[in-house]
């Protein structure tokens, strides 16, 4: 398992969640997706996967990314498209790197 990829994604989600919270401070939409939700889902998923015969990296990444469309919906609703495009390009860049890494480690 490459914890560097998981940590990189976690840091990016924290950063974007903090940015969204900062931009919505004082409004009814103020919310930090990571600190108020994702971190708990992540901890619980890791706990459940601990003794299971599963790919723990997939579990961890899935837990971190499971609600990413929620953030997109909020941003679209509030016309925060530029922030969403930044976030979206980060995910595309990350997954491109991740796919390349997976191909390199799974080749015989």
């Amino acid at each position: 398992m490459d914890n560097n990829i998981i940590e990189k994604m976690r840091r990016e989600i924290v950063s974007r969640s903090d940015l969204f919270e900062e931009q919505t401070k004082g409004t009814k939409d103020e919310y930090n997706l990571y600190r108020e939700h994702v971190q708990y889902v992540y901890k619980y998923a890791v706990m459940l996967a601990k003794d299971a015969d599963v790919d723990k990296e997939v579990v961890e990444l899935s837990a971190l990314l499971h609600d990413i469309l929620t953030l997109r919906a909020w941003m679209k609703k509030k016309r925060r498209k530029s922030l969403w495009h930044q976030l979206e390009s980060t995910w595309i860049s990350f997954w491109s790197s991740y796919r390349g890494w997976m191909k390199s480690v799974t080749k015989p």
Side-chain angles (χ1 to χ4, degrees):
M1 179 183 317
D2 187 350
N3 287 323
N4 187 35
I5 291 174
I6 295 167
E7 183 56 26
K8 180 179 178 182
M9 182 54 61
R10 188 197 67 75
R11 283 192 313 263
E12 189 63 35
I13 293 168
V14 168
S15 172
R16 299 300 176 163
S17 294
D18 288 348
L19 183 58
F20 182 79
E21 181 182 33
E22 182 181 309
Q23 289 186 344
T24 57
K25 197 146 201 83
T27 71
K28 68 179 179 69
D29 292 319
E30 183 179 342
Y31 187 71
N32 188 303
L33 186 63
Y34 179 80
R35 297 186 200 293
E36 296 180 41
H37 177 64
V38 173
Q39 72 176 340
Y40 301 109
V41 171
Y42 176 82
K43 288 178 184 178
Y44 191 61
V46 168
M47 183 184 74
L48 289 173
K50 187 176 182 181
D51 297 322
D53 183 24
V54 296
D55 184 333
K56 297 195 179 27
E57 186 174 68
V58 170
V59 170
E60 290 180 54
L61 288 171
S62 298
L64 288 172
L65 296 171
H66 80 279
D67 258 350
I68 196 61
L69 290 179
T70 301
L71 194 53
R72 180 182 186 191
W74 284 332
M75 290 178 181
K76 261 186 140 176
K77 179 181 173 189
K78 294 298 176 183
R79 305 227 186 271
R80 290 190 174 83
K81 291 181 182 177
S82 64
L83 181 58
W84 167 247
H85 290 300
Q86 291 172 17
L87 182 59
E88 188 173 44
S89 66
T90 300
W91 300 138
I92 290 168
S93 174
F94 168 78
W95 282 113
S96 294
S97 299
Y98 181 72
R99 279 196 313 264
W101 173 81
M102 283 300 291
K103 286 179 184 176
S104 72
V105 298
T106 57
K107 282 188 178 178

